[in-house]
Every structure is written in structure tokens, then in C-alpha cells.
Amino acid sequence: MEDLELKQLFGGVYHGRKVLLTGHTGFKGSWLALWLTRLGAEVTALALPPATTPNHWETLDIDIDSRAIDVRDGDAVAEAVRLSRPEIVFHLAAQPLVRQSYRDPVANWSTNVMGTVHVLDACRAVDSLKAAIVVTSDKCYENRGWEWGYRETDSLGGHDPYSTSKAAAEFVVQSYRRSFFGEKGAPLIASARAGNVFGGGDWSEDRLIPDLVRAVASSRSVEIRSPRATRPWQHVLECLSGYLVLGQHLLDGDEDAASAWNFGPDNNGNRTVEELLLAMKANWPGISWIHSNRLEPHEATMLHLDSSRAFHNLGWRPIWTFEEGVAATALWYERFLGQREVLSLSQLQAFERDATERAAVWTREPSGQATRGAA
């Protein structure tokens, strides 16, 4: 895709824009850092060092202002925000794992709740800011085992420390929006709730695809805890495109966008764990798994997201089918394990091309309110 076409993506709002990104050494954050730099943004990024070896961030070798800062350190966050003078903030830094939240609930709560407080409080002190997006999780909803999708107006809550910390982070966003960013002309603050993401470069502990890849690398079968559990699966680039569309609306001054948003797959992506494994095996025959009988901490067995509000109000839609996303993921890991080749940029470019061919709202040339219509 030529530079001229790149400037058209997302209405060109990120080209030359000062962006603060937290959590860039993590899975989603590293992919977002790659995309923002490709869009021409001036990125300052805050995060702890990568938690695993290998990790996606270090394989990308992106030239941005990367700072090793823990979001639990309020003074360090405030100083970084003051010096970088961002126009938009994407807050992704978090403790992202359910089972880790059982092992260390205090670190989980201090990162996911107080980390969010520190970032938003730092945002109050800079006059350059126009928008901020806090990324939480689909698990922020009070899970009632419904077969239908949770909407942004449904009750927040959770069973495990991770889920409840994400619900609490949503309340933090709501409170800061009402208490400190409610005046006319104030920065617009939104939150984003994505489904279960997969894609190349995730090496997190206790996640399905990374566990599967580690098992392949060790010539063994992976143990699967809940093969019948249903999740809203989507490739990582799907939810990131949603965050960027939301940011575009906020930067354009769309006050209605300053709220909570779901970014999940359509019904095609609501699949069981076993269906995801079978789709991976169809693209990568060497993988195998066994069902575990071990007693595990509680996790919800059914979770769906209703993203119709983003479909209708932002014009956002998923680009890749479930099968296309799985195929890209399997190929990424197969190439990395076999040849140490990193396909992230080429897969991002393929995603952009497919989005353009499928007339995604964020690929259209901006013309007044045209970018606000449905896809």
C-alpha cells in the first residue's frame, strides 16, 4: 500500500499525531505500536519490559520512544505524559491473565485499576490532549451464562479477580469522564471491550494458542481445560481496527463516541475452544491436544459480545472471517518456529488490502461525514 493510501486510512487522523501508548511490550500493544508507526504517528510508549522470551515486541524492532515505566508508578506516568504532550492516549497496559489474577490478586488490582487511575489522572494535567481510549475486556460483564451477546448497557461485574478488576476499570473511566472531562471542549474519554483475540506473536502464559505453540515446539500435546467453552474469537487486528476507528471519531470531536464500546466478532466468530483447535489443526497438521481432568480455578464457560452498536454507530465491521484469522495465525507461528521469520508487517499489509477491497469504513477517503456511515 502506497504512502498516499496509508494517509487515507482512518481519515489520516494519525499521521503526524502525537500518541501515547501504554502496554506496547504486550501482545495487543505491540501490534498497535506497529500499526500506529505505519500510519505515521509520533508514538511515545510506556510499559514494563516484555514478560516472555521470545516476545512480539522485540521481534518488530520498531523505532519509537519506548520507556520502561510501570503504570502503578503514578509519578513516573505523570512525568511521561507531561513530557510527551500527547493528543490521544491508548491505554492498554494491564495484567491480562485470569489465572495469574488468582495467583497474585493484589498485583492484578493495582495494575488494572490504579494503573488506569494514574493514566487518566496524568491526562488531566496536559492541555494538548484531545482524546483517550482505555482498553478493558469482554470479561468486564457480569457473566450470567447467556447464549446471546452482552451489550454496553448490561451490568458489569465478574467472578475472578481479573474480570472484576476490568469492571472496576470501567467504573474508573466513567467517573473520570463525568468528574473531570465533562465540560464542553474537554478531552473525549472512551473505553473499549474486545473479545478473545488471537494472532501471531502472543507468547503469554496460560493462553490457548501460545500454549499450543509451545507444545508443538517441544513435540508434545497441549492440555486443554475446557474444550466446550465458547468465546468471541477474533484476530488481534480486528479489535485494533476498532480502537483506531473509535480514536478517529474522538479526534474528530464526536462527543457521542465518548462512552463504552464492544469490538467483537460477528456470530461467525463465536466458537468453542475445540472448534478453534480444529481450525488451527486444519492449517497446521502437526498440532495435537489432550483434555485435562485437573481441577482448575473458575472461568466462565460461555461468553458472547454484541457489537451492533459499533457496527451501526461507528460503521466498524470485522474484516477477516474466523477461518482467515486462524489461517494467518497458524502461518505466523509456523514460519517463526521454522525459519525465525516474522510475518507481522506483511500480515498487517494484507489486512489493510482486504479491508480496502471489502470497503471497510476506515479505508475510505474522508469527505465530511462520510466516514461516519455504516459499512
Side-chain angles (χ1 to χ4, degrees), residues 100-256:
Q100 177 62 27
S101 76
Y102 280 107
R103 291 192 288 268
D104 193 347
V106 174
N108 171 83
W109 279 81
S110 59
T111 301
N112 293 351
V113 182
M114 289 309 300
T116 302
V117 170
H118 292 154
V119 170
L120 290 180
D121 211 57
C123 288
R124 295 173 56 200
V126 289
D127 58 11
S128 59
L129 190 74
K130 294 179 172 60
I133 296 174
V134 174
V135 173
T136 61
S137 170
D138 56 351
K139 295 177 181 62
C140 70
Y141 292 106
E142 182 69 47
N143 195 306
R144 305 180 188 276
W146 290 338
E147 293 185 7
W148 54 88
Y150 292 90
R151 299 165 297 178
E152 291 88 346
T153 54
D154 286 324
S155 298
L156 303 178
H159 180 284
D160 55 86
Y162 171 77
S163 300
T164 47
S165 72
K166 288 300 189 177
E170 286 282 351
F171 286 121
V172 169
V173 175
Q174 184 182 98
S175 175
Y176 267 80
R177 184 191 300 119
R178 293 174 175 175
S179 300
F180 306 112
F181 298 104
E183 296 182 0
K184 192 72 175 177
L188 300 177
I189 312 299
S191 61
R193 307 161 182 176
N196 283 54
V197 299
F198 56 79
D202 188 5
W203 300 98
S204 303
E205 180 186 7
D206 290 332
R207 277 192 184 154
L208 180 60
I209 299 299
D211 285 349
L212 187 65
V213 173
R214 280 187 286 267
V216 171
S218 302
S219 301
R220 58 181 175 82
S221 298
V222 69
E223 288 190 31
I224 301 303
R225 301 189 296 271
S226 304
R228 298 286 186 269
T230 300
R231 294 288 185 269
W233 302 105
Q234 62 187 159
H235 191 274
V236 62
L237 291 174
E238 303 289 4
C239 63
L240 296 186
S241 71
Y243 304 163
L244 291 168
V245 168
L246 177 56
Q248 178 184 350
H249 277 254
L250 297 174
L251 290 169
D252 283 345
D254 183 357
E255 296 180 2
D256 292 337

